[in-house]
Amino acid sequence: VQSSSMVSPVALDSPEAIAQWLAEQRQALFEQLTAPEQNIRQWMRQHADLMDTALNALYTLAYQQTVAEMGEPAQPPLAFLATGGYGRKELAPYSDIDLTFVPLNDHDPFTERLVKRLFQLLMSVFYTHARLKVGYAYRLMEDCESLDDKTRTGLLDMRRIGGNPQVAEAFQQTFWRTLDPTGFVLERYQEYQARWQKQGEGVLRTEPDLKEGRGGLRDRHTLNWMAQARFGIAPDHALETLIAEGLIHADDAEALECATQTLLWFRALLHWLGGEAREQLTLSKQERIAERLGVSREALAKKLYPALETHARLTRRTIERLVRAPLVLGIGLDSVNREITPAPAIEREPPEWCLWVFVLAQRYQLGLSPAIAERIEATLRHAPPPPPEVVGQCLHDLFRRVGAVYRVLEPMARLGVLGWALPVWQQAMALPAGDPTHEFTVGEHTLQAIRILDSWREPPPKSGRSDRELWHALLEQIPRPEVLYMALLLHDLGKVDPNRPHAEAGAELAEQILTQLGWDEQARADVVFLVRHHLLMAQTARQRDLHLPETIREFTRIVDDIERLQMLYLLTCADTQAVGERIWTPAQASFLLELYRRSIRALEAGMAAEPVPVGQLRKRLMRALARHPLPQEAIEQHIESMPPGYLLNTPPDQISLHIHYIQRVRQGEGPVLEFHNAPDSPYTELTLCTFDDPQPGLLSKIAGVLYAHEVEVSSARVLTREDPPRVALDTLWLTVRHRPLTANQCAILERDLRRVLQGELSVAELLRAHQKDPDAPLQVHQLQFHENASDHYTVIDLQTPLDAGALYRASYALSRLGWNIHSARLGQWAGRTLLSFYCTDAQGNKIDPRAYTALEAIIAQKPEGTP
């Protein structure tokens, strides 16, 4: 093959001639790939030289055309550089041709016209004729300060192909002057670790990825880049420098280079025979290569797999040695064995280094050495408080890195740095939470909440829960994670003031802190909002009927922004889980998820959207149910007799089942009980259909049976078909020790529910048989009536001691007044049982406020009897 240096550029005087010459030269070069004595490094350099010659010829054509049009400039207007694999002359048959153009002067008309013409020629010759992908970038000297990681890595291998040599040299000097060697080394190490983790376990795969897989060529590239940045050397001096620095033995270096050349050779053959830049060596491609070489696939494997194994082992060992060697971090800090340790210059640094050490630890995934921990503690004993703007910037930086906050915030708190930076935090760290459900102090609870939030950064298992998948997705896409993390950090600090509601006090404290720290107005407003309302979502999910439109309307009136809703949902879930294991239940998770989904739909539809008219809703359901095998008259009667909330929130298939249940009851079958365990559901859904009692009290009977069997009720919906004969249609969401009921538990429960509902057994007899007192009084710590919480019902909230029989006792008390219960919610919080009932009087109207005292009187006395 004729070397590019032996080709006269004069002969390459048109795009067609260049394209033809390049095709002929490449074809001749390709035919040498199967030669047994082939030196793949030399082959790839020859291939790169061909590209250099073609590019210089194209540049000459573009330059001459531009001069003819605009006149010749005083000096060459730009330099053009090869970068990436092309820059280091490691060019497989269909590798990308990565180029960077550096102008002498920006916005120069001659340069702009020249680059445009050159690009057109490149596309014609390289992309159209040679089927090579050209990567093109236009860089200014001042760009070097703000290059992204990928661009910086590619430029590390840059070399000038042509154009102005002074411009090329100046750009290279600026690049190296603005390169942070330690940061670059540690960032490439993180990238390397992440790539290995993504690939999964195992090196020797049947169809290996020769470039990005474990043991692939990218491992050697990473080692070279780290060495180039660390020692300021050219690509072809990396291995000899690593030997000289004692990071790899000469024999290992020789074995590594041999393995690299084997992989380069396989990659070149793969490109050539496939006619494209493919990196996965499939079985079919292995067969083709073996056939072309005249050997068996087994013989090929004996050459390939040892090279992969050696490549993976030696690159990993050397990369680990390099990254554990001493590295200068600056501000009086070094990294040794991937731990931050003090350097002599630390004595001259202001005490703010105690903050920035954690930013560096997070950014580069470094640990803290015992020496630096001791130095921090010693510094804080006499250091004045840090400037607030430094604290603000530090926390902003820390909270931007989703999933990596707790790892540094926890030692910040333990070593006293967080309390030094935010004095109010020091009070919170040892402050009792104030109720027995909290397992931790205020500060420790906050740290655990941040740990939980961080954990959602990792994708859940493929068979994971839907809420876990949502947490991960939201955390990945949230545009300002620093706002969420800061809100979580501050959400309970209001507890330092025992005389006020802590959410209200915390919101004011958050405003003061963030103003001092210099956070912008929007961030302050969002953090304050989240702190002020951090209890709202849990309270709504726990105590309000989520099927009622007014519940969602009232909630979204307050949380009226989608981004705030997403952050509040994440904060609520993390905060609740961090309280303790007894508080976070699958049912609690389910209700929060339901509230989030209903609210996000309402916000996406627009808060101003008018509710669907009842008449229109009924017509829509009539059409949907027409496909079901039900008499038209039965469908019409049911839809006309049920409230709007039921029609809006019950799927047609479920409505169809309800109509069947009601028909069965009216035909004399007796109570219909259906238990349903949906896949992945945290509870068992019980639907109970029976003739309604003449007097209110059906729910108390059901609750009494459930109490006897220690079945937990998370929520209940109580509906009645008002057309005679009246039929009750109740739905309850049940668990036993926070798990769905087993088939045997359902069978036992069904037996006793039937006996009680059919009058064969009283609730009192059943409770006594299970060693429970049916006459125990209902102890209420707090009783509240909410007249405006619902459009059609009076909402009654009760707080009782932790009592498994609270629902039974409370519903019985309400039934004694003749009040109808339409839905009920039950949960536990702060060491108490929380009950919420949606009620009407005997005529179906809201409770008259003058009648509130009647319930208070009943609660104050011991019940006279039981249902």
Side-chain angles (χ1 to χ4, degrees), residues 249-479:
H249 191 273
D251 291 343
D252 285 344
E254 184 178 351
L256 175 57
E257 175 59 20
C258 182
T260 300
Q261 291 204 35
T262 298
L263 298 182
L264 288 171
W265 180 61
F266 272 103
R267 184 180 183 226
L269 289 170
L270 178 61
H271 276 216
W272 173 41
L273 294 178
E276 58 182 339
R278 295 287 183 183
E279 311 301 343
Q280 188 170 17
L281 189 56
T282 62
L283 291 174
S284 61
K285 290 294 193 300
Q286 292 176 39
E287 291 284 2
R288 287 190 61 190
I289 290 173
E291 181 182 352
R292 191 65 182 245
L293 296 176
V295 299
S296 66
R297 193 166 69 82
E298 290 72 18
L300 208 66
K302 289 180 181 178
K303 188 175 182 66
L304 171 65
Y305 292 124
L308 278 169
E309 191 280 330
T310 300
H311 211 251
R313 175 170 51 86
L314 294 179
T315 52
R316 190 166 188 80
R317 179 189 301 168
T318 312
I319 285 172
E320 288 292 341
R321 287 176 177 170
L322 195 157
V323 81
R324 292 179 182 278
L327 298 168
V328 177
L329 292 168
I331 61 169
L333 302 170
D334 288 344
S335 170
V336 180
N337 288 322
R338 298 194 60 239
E339 288 187 338
I340 298 179
T341 191
I346 201 171
E347 301 291 348
R348 301 189 296 273
E349 295 292 337
E352 293 90 88
W353 69 262
C354 293
L355 285 167
W356 293 115
V357 67
F358 294 97
V359 175
L360 293 170
Q362 183 196 57
R363 183 181 301 163
Y364 300 132
Q365 298 180 11
L366 301 174
L368 301 180
S369 68
I372 202 67
E374 292 175 8
R375 183 61 66 91
I376 288 172
E377 291 174 335
T379 301
L380 296 187
R381 292 191 194 106
H382 56 77
E389 62 274 11
V390 174
V391 177
Q393 185 61 55
C394 172
L395 292 177
H396 187 278
D397 289 355
L398 289 176
F399 293 162
R400 287 292 300 171
R401 294 180 179 266
V402 173
V405 176
Y406 175 76
R407 193 179 71 84
V408 291
L409 202 66
E410 192 269 346
M412 280 183 76
R414 305 285 178 234
L415 293 170
V417 176
L418 195 54
W420 174 62
L422 297 175
V424 69
W425 174 265
Q426 204 60 40
Q427 301 177 53
M429 196 62 196
L431 182 68
D435 67 72
T437 56
H438 275 268
E439 296 183 4
F440 305 107
T441 65
V442 170
E444 189 66 44
H445 159 76
T446 298
L447 291 176
Q448 294 308 310
I450 290 173
R451 177 187 60 78
I452 290 167
L453 183 66
D454 263 354
S455 71
W456 300 335
R457 176 65 174 78
E458 293 299 318
K462 292 183 178 179
S463 58
R465 305 194 317 265
S466 58
D467 52 2
R468 180 69 174 79
E469 294 173 357
L470 180 59
W471 299 334
H472 170 71
L474 291 178
L475 199 57
E476 283 277 280
Q477 70 189 33
I478 196 166

Side-chain angles (χ1 to χ4, degrees), residues 83 121 145 312 349 366 398 420 513 540 603 650 702 753 764 769 772:
T83 61
L121 292 172
E145 292 279 359
E349 295 292 337
L366 301 174
L398 289 176
W420 174 62
I513 290 172
T540 303
L603 291 175
T650 311
I702 298 170
L753 279 169
K772 292 179 172 61

Side-chain angles (χ1 to χ4, degrees), residues 66 92 112 137 166 189 207 247 277-278 337 379 407 414 426 429 441 466 469 492 621 657 659 696 739 781 848:
T66 308
E112 292 176 353
Q166 289 78 27
Y189 178 73
E207 297 184 331
L247 297 173
R278 295 287 183 183
N337 288 322
T379 301
R407 193 179 71 84
R414 305 285 178 234
Q426 204 60 40
M429 196 62 196
T441 65
S466 58
E469 294 173 357
D492 268 355
L621 284 173
L657 284 174
I659 295 173
R739 296 175 182 273
H781 291 312
D848 189 328

Side-chain angles (χ1 to χ4, degrees), residues 676-787:
H676 179 59
N677 285 333
D680 301 322
S681 175
Y683 40 68
T684 296
E685 184 177 310
L686 166 62
T687 303
L688 188 152
C689 186
T690 186
F691 285 118
D692 193 28
D693 283 348
Q695 295 297 322
L698 178 60
L699 180 61
S700 68
K701 291 181 180 179
I702 298 170
V705 176
L706 299 175
Y707 172 39
H709 290 282
E710 298 184 352
V711 176
E712 304 138 1
V713 181
S714 299
S715 182
R717 291 179 67 200
V718 182
L719 299 168
T720 304
R721 272 278 298 266
E722 298 293 344
D723 54 319
R726 287 161 49 95
V727 175
L729 183 66
D730 297 353
T731 305
L732 299 97
W733 288 266
L734 312 175
T735 57
V736 173
R737 291 183 291 278
H738 306 307
R739 296 175 182 273
L741 278 63
T742 65
N744 185 55
Q745 289 169 331
C746 291
I748 294 172
L749 195 60
E750 180 177 356
R751 179 200 64 198
D752 285 349
L753 279 169
R754 288 188 182 280
R755 293 172 66 197
V756 168
L757 294 175
Q758 292 173 340
E760 301 171 7
L761 178 71
S762 73
V763 172
E765 291 170 336
L766 181 64
L767 287 171
R768 290 191 184 99
H770 287 80
Q771 288 76 51
K772 292 179 172 61
D773 182 6
D775 300 322
L778 175 66
Q779 299 179 22
V780 177
H781 291 312
Q782 187 178 76
L783 172 64
Q784 293 178 309
F785 295 88
H786 304 279
E787 188 175 357

